[in-house]
Amino acid sequence: MADQYAHSGEDKRPTETPAIRWEEPPEGPVLVLLDQTRLPAEEVELVCTDAPALVEAIRSLAVRGAPLLGIAGAYGVALAAVRGFDVDEAAAALAGARPTAVNLAVGVRRALAAYRAALAEGGDGRRAAEAALAAARALHREDAEASARMAGHGLALLDELLPAGGHRVLTHCNTGALVSGGEGTAFAVALAAHRAGRLRRLWVDETRPLLQGARLTAYEAARSGMAYTLLTDNAAGSLFAAGEVDAVLIGADRIAADGSVANKVGSYPLAVLARYHHVPFIVVAPVTTVDPDTPDGASIEVEQRAGHEVTEITAPQVSVAGAGGGIAVAPLGTQAYNPAFDVTPPELVTAIVTEEGIVSPVTSEALAELCARARR
Ligand SMILES: CSC[C@@H](O)[C@@H](O)C(=O)COP(=O)(O)O
């Protein structure tokens, strides 16, 4: 297939502005986020001084992606604690801001547990706030480490499953440094392959309706200098049929105990296509995304989002007109079906790559074993 749509350039860091950082200016501690709703047009930072501002940033997808939501949730609890707000109330609001990515609740719980433990040990509010912040910082650091390990395991798996000569990988949504303390999940594997000279092309699904692929993954791919090509989600079938996809690499928002994978809507159809075309479908996620308390795919709550995300175009460069703030592309009053995620059953998943190792085939026993290993 012709390469005229490819972007290729020098090798740079995937993002120069970190997706999240804690700062302590004289006016008081703040959480600074790179506003992902404005990318790729402009790099604008959002400064959160309290939990409600962070909840809004989470709902609007200014901050998004499972691992980053966990880190943000933990910092949000710390922010409420250091600024003297009601920590339990902040934790409940943060954990409930979006339902599908389990990492959000996990991050919130971790900082809250540290806060409560410090109080239970007789510490004052300041000491407890420091404990919550230390927990958030530890999670942030651990996510960066997990990211590097997933990249290593994922690249080894690609090399094992695919013939030598350069991998052509299809990805969906955005899973790079914008969602992580490190270089991400699925995208980090593609980046490792690129750096090793073994990525022939990254196929980037645009990822309707909010275009995380077109706006964010293409932005990260361009910065890394890898060869990439953007396609509409519904072009994936013809790409498989043309024999142009060697593997699918995606992230996950929640992996149920039976190995069902919830990820950005459009992942499940890719898994079906991959199976039909005998292409490996690989999920890359940290162990914190595996939720032993959710037994199966049917038990995963899939976030339903506002219809105007489908009935209007809301890309940052587009000026406003419609009821949701975008330009209408459907008749006014059109109802929309807009689930943010779908669920892929374990039998369609070739492998789940985590920082603790690879699960393949995907069974509940193998996943439980992996989680137990991670706890030791
Ligand atoms: C490593 S990120 C994995 C998932 O969180 C990602 O693929 C995804 O679906 C993100 O959805 P989003 O709605 O943009 O938060």
Side-chain angles (χ1 to χ4, degrees):
M1 188 163 285
D3 268 5
Q4 70 267 34
Y5 302 112
H7 177 286
S8 191
E10 64 192 286
D11 195 357
K12 290 197 248 158
R13 269 176 51 97
T15 60
E16 278 144 20
T17 311
I20 194 164
R21 66 178 192 276
W22 179 268
E23 272 190 7
E24 304 203 347
E27 315 81 76
V30 292
L31 188 60
V32 184
L33 310 171
L34 178 59
D35 184 348
Q36 299 191 26
T37 64
R38 311 284 287 272
L39 290 171
E42 46 189 3
E43 290 191 356
V44 175
E45 291 191 330
L46 258 182
V47 179
C48 297
T49 55
D50 57 20
L54 179 57
V55 167
E56 182 44 37
I58 291 170
R59 292 209 173 115
S60 69
L61 308 195
V63 58
R64 47 155 293 284
L68 189 69
L69 286 173
I71 296 166
Y75 277 125
V77 171
L79 189 63
V82 289
R83 284 190 166 260
F85 294 111
D86 183 327
V87 174
D88 289 315
E89 194 183 301
L94 286 162
R98 292 186 78 192
T100 307
V102 68
N103 302 64
L104 177 57
V106 168
V108 166
R109 270 204 307 271
R110 181 157 164 186
L112 187 62
Y115 176 83
R116 286 184 178 152
L119 288 181
E121 283 160 16
D124 58 7
R126 204 172 127 250
R127 173 76 204 93
E130 281 167 8
L133 181 57
R137 286 195 156 123
L139 182 62
H140 198 166
R141 211 172 34 246
E142 286 165 23
D143 186 65
E145 286 157 13
S147 177
R149 291 169 65 195
M150 283 185 276
H153 293 317
L155 179 57
L157 182 67
L158 284 184
D159 289 344
E160 182 191 318
L161 293 177
L162 305 180
H167 312 318
R168 296 162 304 172
V169 170
L170 174 66
T171 194
H172 192 68
C173 199
N174 171 256
T175 60
L178 289 169
V179 300
S180 168
E183 290 182 327
T185 58
F187 188 83
V189 176
L191 200 55
H194 165 61
R195 287 179 182 145
R198 295 202 286 283
L199 183 75
R200 202 156 119 207
R201 175 153 317 280
L202 185 68
W203 296 111
V204 179
D205 261 8
E206 65 172 354
T207 317
R208 283 281 294 153
L210 296 178
L211 304 176
Q212 287 93 331
R215 294 190 302 105
L216 308 176
T217 302
Y219 165 85
E220 294 191 320
R223 284 171 163 248
S224 75
M226 67 176 59
Y228 75 95
T229 303
L230 183 67
L231 60 143
T232 60
D233 298 353
N234 49 11
S238 61
L239 196 64
F240 276 97
E244 291 286 331
V245 183
D246 298 318
V248 178
L249 280 178
I250 62 158
D253 285 83
R254 186 181 301 239
I255 300 173
D258 73 343
S260 297
V261 175
N263 191 54
K264 177 54 56 192
V265 68
S267 299
Y268 168 59
L270 290 179
V272 175
L273 276 171
R275 177 55 52 96
Y276 183 77
H277 291 282
H278 310 289
V279 164
F281 182 86
I282 301 167
V283 175
V284 187
V287 175
T288 45
T289 303
V290 181
D291 179 16
D293 297 331
T294 297
D296 51 29
S299 313
I300 297 176
E301 184 184 344
V302 171
E303 176 186 6
Q304 299 291 325
R305 292 186 61 88
H308 68 72
E309 291 179 348
V310 177
T311 60
E312 296 174 14
I313 290 174
T314 50
Q317 304 90 327
V318 176
S319 62
V320 289
I327 288 182
V329 292
L332 281 179
T334 299
Q335 290 195 11
Y337 169 62
N338 188 19
F341 305 97
D342 58 25
V343 178
T344 300
E347 58 272 20
L348 292 182
V349 179
T350 309
I352 296 178
V353 175
T354 75
E355 71 276 29
E356 290 296 330
I358 297 171
V359 172
S360 180
V362 179
T363 63
S364 46
E365 294 75 19
L367 263 183
E369 218 292 291
L370 181 99
C371 292
R373 199 176 338 137
R375 278 194 297 271
R376 282 198 287 270

Coordinates of all heavy atoms in Angstrom, one line a residue, residues 46-114:
L46 N -4.5 23.2 32.3 CA -5.6 23.4 33.2 C -5.1 23.3 34.6 O -4.5 22.3 35.0 CB -6.6 22.3 33.0 CG -7.9 22.5 32.2 CD1 -8.7 21.2 32.3 CD2 -8.7 23.6 32.7
V47 N -5.4 24.3 35.4 CA -4.9 24.3 36.8 C -6.0 24.0 37.7 O -7.0 24.8 37.8 CB -4.2 25.7 37.1 CG1 -3.7 25.6 38.6 CG2 -3.0 25.9 36.2
C48 N -6.0 22.9 38.4 CA -7.1 22.5 39.4 C -6.7 22.9 40.8 O -5.6 22.5 41.2 CB -7.4 21.0 39.3 SG -8.0 20.5 37.7
T49 N -7.5 23.6 41.5 CA -7.2 24.0 42.9 C -8.2 23.2 43.8 O -8.0 23.3 45.0 CB -7.4 25.5 43.1 OG1 -8.7 25.8 42.7 CG2 -6.4 26.3 42.4
D50 N -9.1 22.5 43.3 CA -10.0 21.7 44.1 C -10.6 20.5 43.4 O -10.4 20.4 42.1 CB -11.1 22.5 44.8 CG -12.0 23.2 43.7 OD1 -12.0 22.7 42.5 OD2 -12.7 24.2 44.0
A51 N -11.2 19.6 44.1 CA -11.7 18.3 43.5 C -12.8 18.6 42.5 O -12.8 17.9 41.4 CB -12.1 17.4 44.6
P52 N -13.8 19.5 42.7 CA -14.8 19.7 41.7 C -14.2 20.1 40.4 O -14.7 19.7 39.3 CB -15.7 20.8 42.3 CG -15.5 20.7 43.8 CD -14.1 20.2 44.0
A53 N -13.2 20.9 40.4 CA -12.5 21.3 39.1 C -12.0 20.1 38.4 O -12.0 19.9 37.2 CB -11.5 22.3 39.3
L54 N -11.4 19.2 39.2 CA -10.8 18.0 38.6 C -11.9 17.0 38.1 O -11.8 16.4 37.1 CB -9.9 17.3 39.7 CG -9.2 16.0 39.2 CD1 -8.4 16.2 38.0 CD2 -8.3 15.4 40.4
V55 N -13.0 16.9 38.9 CA -14.1 16.1 38.4 C -14.6 16.6 37.1 O -14.8 15.8 36.1 CB -15.3 16.1 39.5 CG1 -16.5 15.5 38.9 CG2 -14.8 15.4 40.7
E56 N -14.7 17.9 36.9 CA -15.1 18.4 35.6 C -14.1 18.1 34.5 O -14.5 17.8 33.4 CB -15.4 19.9 35.8 CG -15.9 20.7 34.6 CD -17.0 20.0 33.8 OE1 -17.9 19.3 34.5 OE2 -17.0 20.0 32.6
A57 N -12.8 18.2 34.9 CA -11.8 17.9 33.9 C -11.9 16.4 33.4 O -11.6 16.1 32.3 CB -10.4 18.2 34.4
I58 N -12.2 15.6 34.4 CA -12.3 14.1 34.1 C -13.6 13.9 33.2 O -13.5 13.2 32.2 CB -12.4 13.3 35.4 CG1 -11.1 13.3 36.1 CG2 -12.9 11.9 35.1 CD1 -11.2 12.7 37.6
R59 N -14.7 14.5 33.6 CA -15.9 14.3 32.8 C -15.8 14.8 31.3 O -16.3 14.2 30.4 CB -17.1 15.0 33.4 CG -17.5 14.3 34.7 CD -19.0 14.5 35.0 NE -19.3 13.7 36.2 CZ -19.7 14.2 37.4 NH1 -19.8 15.5 37.5 NH2 -19.9 13.4 38.4
S60 N -15.1 15.9 31.2 CA -15.0 16.6 29.9 C -13.8 15.9 29.0 O -13.6 16.3 27.9 CB -14.7 18.1 30.0 OG -13.4 18.2 30.6
L61 N -13.1 15.0 29.6 CA -12.0 14.3 29.0 C -10.8 15.2 28.8 O -9.9 14.9 27.9 CB -12.4 13.6 27.7 CG -13.6 12.7 27.6 CD1 -13.6 11.9 26.3 CD2 -13.7 11.8 28.8
A62 N -10.7 16.3 29.6 CA -9.4 17.1 29.6 C -8.3 16.2 30.1 O -7.2 16.3 29.7 CB -9.6 18.3 30.4
V63 N -8.7 15.3 31.1 CA -7.7 14.3 31.5 C -8.5 13.0 31.3 O -9.6 12.9 31.7 CB -7.3 14.6 33.0 CG1 -8.5 14.6 33.9 CG2 -6.3 13.5 33.5
R64 N -7.8 12.0 30.8 CA -8.5 10.8 30.4 C -7.5 9.6 30.2 O -6.3 9.8 30.3 CB -9.2 11.0 29.0 CG -8.3 11.7 28.0 CD -8.7 11.5 26.6 NE -8.5 10.1 26.2 CZ -7.3 9.5 26.0 NH1 -6.2 10.2 26.1 NH2 -7.2 8.3 25.7
G65 N -8.1 8.4 29.9 CA -7.3 7.2 29.8 C -7.1 6.6 31.1 O -6.8 7.3 32.1
A66 N -7.2 5.2 31.2 CA -7.3 4.6 32.5 C -6.2 4.8 33.4 O -6.4 5.3 34.6 CB -7.5 3.1 32.2
P67 N -4.9 4.6 33.0 CA -3.8 4.8 34.1 C -3.8 6.2 34.6 O -3.6 6.5 35.8 CB -2.6 4.4 33.3 CG -3.0 3.6 32.1 CD -4.4 4.1 31.8
L68 N -4.0 7.2 33.6 CA -3.9 8.6 34.0 C -5.0 9.0 34.9 O -4.9 9.8 35.9 CB -3.8 9.5 32.8 CG -3.5 11.0 33.2 CD1 -2.1 11.1 33.6 CD2 -3.8 11.9 32.0
L69 N -6.2 8.4 34.7 CA -7.4 8.7 35.6 C -7.1 8.2 37.0 O -7.4 8.8 38.0 CB -8.6 8.0 35.0 CG -9.2 8.6 33.8 CD1 -10.4 7.8 33.2 CD2 -9.7 10.0 34.1
G70 N -6.4 7.1 37.1 CA -6.0 6.6 38.5 C -5.0 7.6 39.2 O -5.2 7.9 40.3
I71 N -4.0 8.0 38.4 CA -3.1 9.0 39.0 C -3.8 10.3 39.4 O -3.6 10.8 40.5 CB -1.9 9.3 38.0 CG1 -1.2 8.0 37.7 CG2 -1.0 10.4 38.4 CD1 -0.3 8.0 36.4
A72 N -4.7 10.8 38.5 CA -5.4 12.0 38.7 C -6.3 11.9 39.9 O -6.4 12.8 40.8 CB -6.2 12.4 37.5
G73 N -7.0 10.7 40.1 CA -7.9 10.5 41.2 C -7.1 10.5 42.5 O -7.5 11.2 43.5
A74 N -5.9 9.9 42.5 CA -5.1 9.9 43.7 C -4.6 11.3 44.1 O -4.7 11.8 45.3 CB -3.9 9.0 43.6
Y75 N -4.1 12.1 43.1 CA -3.7 13.5 43.3 C -4.9 14.3 43.8 O -4.8 15.2 44.6 CB -3.1 14.1 42.1 CG -1.6 13.8 41.9 CD1 -1.2 13.2 40.7 CD2 -0.7 14.1 42.9 CE1 0.2 12.9 40.5 CE2 0.7 13.8 42.7 CZ 1.1 13.2 41.5 OH 2.4 12.9 41.3
G76 N -6.1 14.0 43.3 CA -7.3 14.8 43.6 C -7.6 14.6 45.1 O -8.0 15.6 45.8
V77 N -7.4 13.4 45.6 CA -7.7 13.2 47.1 C -6.6 14.0 47.9 O -7.0 14.7 48.8 CB -7.6 11.7 47.4 CG1 -7.6 11.5 48.9 CG2 -8.7 11.0 46.8
A78 N -5.4 14.0 47.4 CA -4.3 14.8 48.1 C -4.6 16.3 48.0 O -4.4 17.0 49.0 CB -3.0 14.5 47.4
L79 N -5.1 16.7 46.9 CA -5.4 18.1 46.7 C -6.5 18.6 47.7 O -6.4 19.6 48.4 CB -5.9 18.4 45.3 CG -6.1 19.8 44.8 CD1 -4.8 20.6 44.9 CD2 -6.7 19.8 43.4
A80 N -7.6 17.8 47.8 CA -8.6 18.1 48.8 C -8.0 18.1 50.2 O -8.4 19.0 51.0 CB -9.7 17.0 48.7
A81 N -7.1 17.1 50.5 CA -6.6 17.1 51.9 C -5.7 18.2 52.2 O -5.8 18.9 53.2 CB -5.8 15.7 52.0
V82 N -4.8 18.6 51.3 CA -3.8 19.7 51.6 C -4.5 21.0 51.6 O -4.1 21.9 52.3 CB -2.6 19.8 50.6 CG1 -1.6 18.7 50.8 CG2 -3.1 19.9 49.2
R83 N -5.6 21.1 50.9 CA -6.3 22.4 50.9 C -7.5 22.5 51.9 O -8.2 23.5 52.0 CB -6.9 22.7 49.5 CG -5.7 23.2 48.5 CD -6.3 23.7 47.2 NE -5.3 24.4 46.4 CZ -5.1 25.7 46.4 NH1 -6.0 26.5 47.1 NH2 -4.2 26.3 45.7
G84 N -7.6 21.4 52.7 CA -8.5 21.5 53.9 C -10.0 21.3 53.5 O -10.9 21.6 54.2
F85 N -10.2 20.6 52.3 CA -11.6 20.3 52.0 C -12.0 19.0 52.6 O -11.2 18.3 53.1 CB -11.8 20.3 50.4 CG -11.6 21.6 49.8 CD1 -10.5 21.8 48.9 CD2 -12.5 22.6 49.9 CE1 -10.3 23.0 48.3 CE2 -12.3 23.8 49.3 CZ -11.2 24.0 48.5
D86 N -13.3 18.7 52.5 CA -13.8 17.4 53.0 C -13.3 16.3 52.1 O -13.7 16.1 50.9 CB -15.4 17.4 52.9 CG -16.0 16.2 53.6 OD1 -15.4 15.1 53.4 OD2 -17.1 16.3 54.2
V87 N -12.4 15.5 52.7 CA -11.7 14.5 51.8 C -12.6 13.3 51.4 O -12.5 12.9 50.3 CB -10.4 14.0 52.6 CG1 -9.8 12.8 51.9 CG2 -9.5 15.1 52.8
D88 N -13.5 12.9 52.3 CA -14.4 11.8 51.9 C -15.3 12.2 50.8 O -15.6 11.4 49.9 CB -15.2 11.3 53.1 CG -14.3 10.6 54.1 OD1 -13.5 9.7 53.7 OD2 -14.4 10.9 55.3
E89 N -15.8 13.4 50.9 CA -16.7 13.9 49.9 C -16.0 14.0 48.5 O -16.5 13.6 47.5 CB -17.2 15.3 50.3 CG -18.4 15.8 49.5 CD -18.8 17.2 50.0 OE1 -19.1 17.4 51.2 OE2 -18.7 18.1 49.1
A90 N -14.8 14.6 48.6 CA -14.0 14.7 47.3 C -13.7 13.3 46.8 O -13.8 13.1 45.5 CB -12.7 15.4 47.7
A91 N -13.3 12.4 47.6 CA -13.0 11.0 47.1 C -14.2 10.4 46.4 O -14.1 9.8 45.4 CB -12.5 10.1 48.3
A92 N -15.4 10.5 47.0 CA -16.6 9.9 46.4 C -16.9 10.6 45.1 O -17.2 9.9 44.1 CB -17.8 10.1 47.4
A93 N -16.8 11.9 45.0 CA -17.1 12.6 43.7 C -16.1 12.2 42.7 O -16.4 12.0 41.5 CB -17.0 14.1 43.9
L94 N -14.8 12.1 43.0 CA -13.8 11.7 42.1 C -14.0 10.3 41.6 O -13.9 10.0 40.4 CB -12.4 11.9 42.7 CG -11.9 13.3 42.9 CD1 -10.7 13.4 43.9 CD2 -11.5 13.9 41.5
A95 N -14.2 9.4 42.5 CA -14.3 8.0 42.1 C -15.5 7.8 41.2 O -15.5 6.9 40.4 CB -14.4 7.1 43.4
G96 N -16.6 8.6 41.4 CA -17.8 8.4 40.6 C -17.8 9.3 39.3 O -18.8 9.3 38.6
A97 N -16.7 10.0 39.0 CA -16.7 10.9 37.9 C -16.9 10.2 36.5 O -17.6 10.7 35.6 CB -15.5 11.8 37.8
R98 N -16.3 9.0 36.4 CA -16.5 8.2 35.2 C -16.6 6.7 35.7 O -15.7 6.4 36.5 CB -15.4 8.4 34.2 CG -15.4 9.7 33.5 CD -14.4 9.8 32.4 NE -14.9 9.1 31.1 CZ -14.1 8.8 30.1 NH1 -12.8 9.1 30.1 NH2 -14.5 8.2 29.0
P99 N -17.5 5.9 35.2 CA -17.6 4.6 35.8 C -16.8 3.4 35.2 O -16.6 2.4 35.9 CB -19.1 4.3 35.5 CG -19.4 5.0 34.2 CD -18.5 6.2 34.2
T100 N -16.3 3.5 34.0 CA -15.8 2.3 33.4 C -14.3 2.0 33.7 O -13.9 0.9 34.1 CB -16.0 2.3 31.9 OG1 -17.3 2.6 31.6 CG2 -15.6 1.0 31.2
A101 N -13.4 3.0 33.7 CA -12.0 2.8 34.0 C -11.8 2.5 35.5 O -12.0 3.4 36.3 CB -11.2 4.0 33.5
V102 N -11.5 1.3 35.8 CA -11.4 0.9 37.2 C -10.2 1.6 37.9 O -10.3 1.9 39.1 CB -11.3 -0.6 37.4 CG1 -9.9 -1.1 36.8 CG2 -11.4 -1.1 38.8
N103 N -9.2 2.0 37.1 CA -8.1 2.7 37.7 C -8.4 3.9 38.5 O -7.8 4.3 39.4 CB -7.1 3.1 36.6 CG -6.6 1.9 35.8 OD1 -7.4 1.2 35.1 ND2 -5.3 1.5 35.9
L104 N -9.5 4.6 38.0 CA -9.9 5.9 38.7 C -10.2 5.6 40.2 O -9.7 6.2 41.1 CB -11.1 6.5 38.0 CG -11.7 7.8 38.6 CD1 -10.6 8.9 38.8 CD2 -12.9 8.3 37.8
A105 N -11.1 4.6 40.4 CA -11.5 4.2 41.8 C -10.3 3.7 42.5 O -10.1 3.9 43.7 CB -12.7 3.2 41.7
V106 N -9.5 2.9 41.9 CA -8.3 2.3 42.5 C -7.4 3.4 43.0 O -6.9 3.4 44.2 CB -7.6 1.3 41.6 CG1 -6.2 0.9 42.1 CG2 -8.4 0.1 41.3
G107 N -7.1 4.4 42.2 CA -6.2 5.5 42.6 C -6.8 6.3 43.7 O -6.1 6.7 44.7
V108 N -8.1 6.6 43.7 CA -8.7 7.3 44.7 C -8.6 6.6 46.0 O -8.3 7.1 47.1 CB -10.2 7.6 44.4 CG1 -11.0 8.1 45.6 CG2 -10.3 8.6 43.2
R109 N -9.0 5.3 46.0 CA -8.9 4.4 47.2 C -7.5 4.4 47.8 O -7.4 4.4 49.0 CB -9.4 3.0 46.8 CG -10.8 2.7 46.9 CD -11.1 1.2 47.1 NE -10.5 0.4 46.2 CZ -11.1 0.0 45.0 NH1 -12.3 0.5 44.7 NH2 -10.5 -0.8 44.2
R110 N -6.5 4.3 46.9 CA -5.2 4.2 47.5 C -4.8 5.5 48.3 O -4.2 5.4 49.4 CB -4.2 4.0 46.3 CG -2.8 3.8 46.8 CD -2.0 3.1 45.8 NE -0.6 3.2 46.0 CZ 0.4 2.8 45.3 NH1 0.1 2.2 44.1 NH2 1.7 3.0 45.6
A111 N -5.0 6.7 47.7 CA -4.7 7.9 48.4 C -5.6 8.1 49.7 O -5.1 8.5 50.7 CB -4.9 9.1 47.5
L112 N -6.8 7.7 49.6 CA -7.7 7.8 50.7 C -7.3 6.9 51.8 O -7.3 7.2 53.0 CB -9.2 7.5 50.3 CG -10.3 7.7 51.3 CD1 -10.4 9.2 51.7 CD2 -11.6 7.2 50.7
A113 N -6.9 5.7 51.5 CA -6.4 4.7 52.5 C -5.2 5.2 53.2 O -5.1 5.1 54.5 CB -6.1 3.4 51.8
A114 N -4.3 5.9 52.5 CA -3.1 6.4 53.1 C -3.4 7.6 54.0 O -2.9 7.7 55.1 CB -2.1 6.9 52.0

